[in-house]
Amino acid sequence: MYTTSTAFLDALQEAGVSYIFANFGSDHPAIIEALANAKARGRSLPRLVTCPNEMVALSAAHGFAQVTGRAQAVVVHVECGTQSLGGAVHNAANGRIPALIFAGASPFTQRGEMFGSRNEYIHWIQDVRDQRGLVRGYVKHDNEIRTGHNVKQIVRRAMQAAHSDPQGPVYLVGAREVMEQPLNEEERESHSIPLSASALAPADAAYVANMLTDAKMPVVVTSYLGRRKAAVPELVALCQRLAVGVIESVPCCMNYPQNDPMYQANQWNEALQNPLLAEADVVLIIDSDVPWIPTINQPSPSARIVHIDVDPLKERMPLWSFPVERSYRADAATALRQINDILQAMPVNPQVDRRRSRLVTAHNERRRLLRAKEPLADPAGVVTPEALTTAVRERLDLDALVVNEGISNYKTIIDHLELSRPGSMLCSGAGSLGYNGGAAIGAKLARPDQFVACLTGDGSYMFSAPSTVHWMARHYETPFLQVIYNNRGWKSPKLSTQALRPNGAAGRRDGIGVEFDPPPDYAGIAAAAGGAFARTIKRAGELHQALDEAFDVVRTERRCAVLDVWLQAL
């Protein structure tokens, strides 16, 4: 029988979906039946990946989309499964990640009026007033499948929204009776195409080019330009030509090669004024939600500031105000290519060479200071985050993918990995912890031949549902290395408290409700759930051998390896 569910699955296949990350419930019999029939008949459909936890399901789709640029499908159970997605929906929305989420809805008949009518008590208690409203504040588009006759149009429209800038998750619901509706098999239909990348108006491109050329100390600030891999070489070309320093503000991807001398810094929440930003007379913000934190770090009041962004209005942020002179909605790669084309025909400002020399000196000094922090301490002492990251870096393949959810060690990880390849680092781009494990699975499904390293704090490891992650990793053959930066607690809340109340009682004492000491056996959880190689490292002298063994296990035995590395406690 060809049903709405069959047509829905066909529409996903036609839209280029490779995987359905599913957590099935009582509202999905028609989808389960359609999948079983397709398998029995040898019909091609997206591959089913069973996900015992919804956060992991959407995080896996998130990681896959970051690597490939293509939205995947996530299927969850009515409002319960939708609510369980909450943190992952926040991440996908703020990270601008395309994904199609489908949730069933409680049957709308109760006496057998239609096939699929209510036959379990949960069908009454899971019938809520506005199920779509649970995620409406986060998704780009939501809709209900009311009939099977236009289900392919509904899916095509949703995928078009998901893939159009600014990208994001979309949400569809369908009641059981509708998903069971018999249909005549329809002709294959092409999916709706996303909107083309937007460009600057020629006059605006010339305005930005002239502003940068005439500047004494221009600076670029970015956070997520590297999501568009093609934008990175364009930014490099611009900065090298004009000797423009690059500052990353809370970076969530590899935006600029750290081995290039124009790379100057990445800044997070540290209470420090960036000297280059303070000196800049022209600031180009390109693809950044928070270019600086005004209470602690900002440019000179006289600086001229221009903003180019795929999402310049920040429509999902009720409060967003930075003193920009001009703001443009444009694709970073397209806009930078336009500016570079104009710059090629313009004479180079004679002060560029002097500025370049100064930036090279600052870049080299920064690297010298970082290198001084990298050696391991006394073998009997604890491992430092800098030494741990360096040891991982020294073993990574050139084409490795790094999933970074280091939280209080975000900056350390980025500083000491020194990545230079576009697309080499994946972060959630948002603030709901637990993305890392599912994202590693999604990244590995997208690139089976690439080495995936997942670097996470101990708090974010617990949020990631590691028993689900490592069961899935073994079952679906997605081996990755997971390194836990274990400081025995949530360090970030303690740092936030100390930043606001540096002399407060909480900053001077332990036992403030953020400690996990003694911690769970994090590596043992992965071993029990998924047969992972598991080691706990408490002394610096144990690190190198454990890392060698772990890398070898992932590469040759093709199973996960989890290293629980104890750092200095909170």
Side-chain angles (χ1 to χ4, degrees), residues 113-131:
E113 296 93 335
M114 299 177 69
F115 188 69
S117 188
R118 297 182 182 187
N119 63 347
E120 301 178 35
Y121 87 96
I122 56 172
H123 293 153
W124 279 264
I125 64 173
Q126 291 176 343
D127 189 6
V128 296
R129 290 185 184 136
D130 186 10
Q131 181 174 313

Side-chain angles (χ1 to χ4, degrees), residues 373-423:
K373 298 178 180 180
E374 293 183 348
L376 279 171
D378 176 6
V382 297
V383 179
T384 65
E386 294 84 0
L388 173 55
T389 308
T390 301
V392 172
R393 180 192 74 212
E394 292 170 347
R395 291 165 172 81
L396 286 175
D397 303 327
L398 291 177
D399 66 344
L401 291 169
V402 177
V403 177
N404 181 359
E405 199 171 24
I407 314 305
S408 58
N409 283 303
Y410 268 136
K411 179 173 174 58
T412 298
I413 290 170
I414 290 171
D415 279 342
H416 294 276
L417 282 181
E418 294 188 337
L419 298 173
S420 60
R421 182 176 57 80

